[in-house]
Amino acid sequence: MGKKVNDIWLSAAEQSNINISIDGLEPLTHINFLNNEPAILQTIYTQEMLKRGFLVGSSVYTSYAYNQRAINKFSNSIYEVFDILKNAIESEQESNFLDSEVKHSGFKRLT
């Protein structure tokens, strides 16, 4: 299933003209956005996938619980979200697409 997730990311990125890289093993795959504002794009990606019912960050841990129905819903959502990311990039105002703060990187105290 990890290969399917990778293929979906690559296809949506190509269609939307978004530069990405994919790392990791197929069952534990990781997407990187390769532009000037990767943290903002990752935050938009997570926020928009949450709106579509997916709790996903930059990594996806696939398992046999991922059936074809779930993969199809994931695929449809990815294409929608990558269109939003494309619009954010083209606007050159990526932060205007955020509903909250940019994601934090690393572990640190929040208070």
Side-chain angles (χ1 to χ4, degrees):
M1 289 300 164
K3 180 172 177 6
K4 288 184 180 185
V5 169
N6 289 348
D7 291 344
I8 292 165
W9 278 337
L10 290 169
S11 178
E14 183 177 339
Q15 180 178 308
S16 301
N17 199 30
I18 296 173
N19 293 322
I20 65 168
S21 69
I22 296 173
D23 299 319
L25 303 172
E26 289 178 349
L28 172 54
T29 189
H30 181 89
I31 187 170
N32 299 297
F33 293 97
L34 306 175
N35 80 334
N36 294 334
E37 299 290 350
I40 292 175
L41 289 186
Q42 181 63 55
T43 305
I44 296 168
Y45 169 75
T46 299
Q47 131 193 323
E48 295 300 324
M49 289 299 285
L50 275 171
K51 290 176 184 177
R52 289 157 179 80
F54 291 93
L55 178 57
V56 64
S58 58
S59 296
V60 173
Y61 300 83
T62 59
S63 72
Y64 288 114
Y66 284 61
N67 59 27
Q68 194 57 49
R69 183 175 172 202
I71 290 292
N72 290 344
K73 183 178 178 189
F74 180 81
S75 179
N76 293 337
S77 297
I78 289 293
Y79 281 93
E80 291 173 6
V81 170
F82 273 57
D83 282 343
I84 293 168
L85 293 171
K86 177 183 178 181
N87 292 335
I89 293 166
E90 289 176 349
S91 76
E92 298 181 2
Q93 299 288 324
E94 291 94 334
S95 61
N96 289 343
F97 288 75
L98 292 171
D99 292 341
S100 63
E101 299 179 20
V102 176
K103 74 177 194 84
H104 296 272
S105 60
F107 294 100
K108 61 183 175 182
R109 184 175 285 258
L110 298 176
T111 58

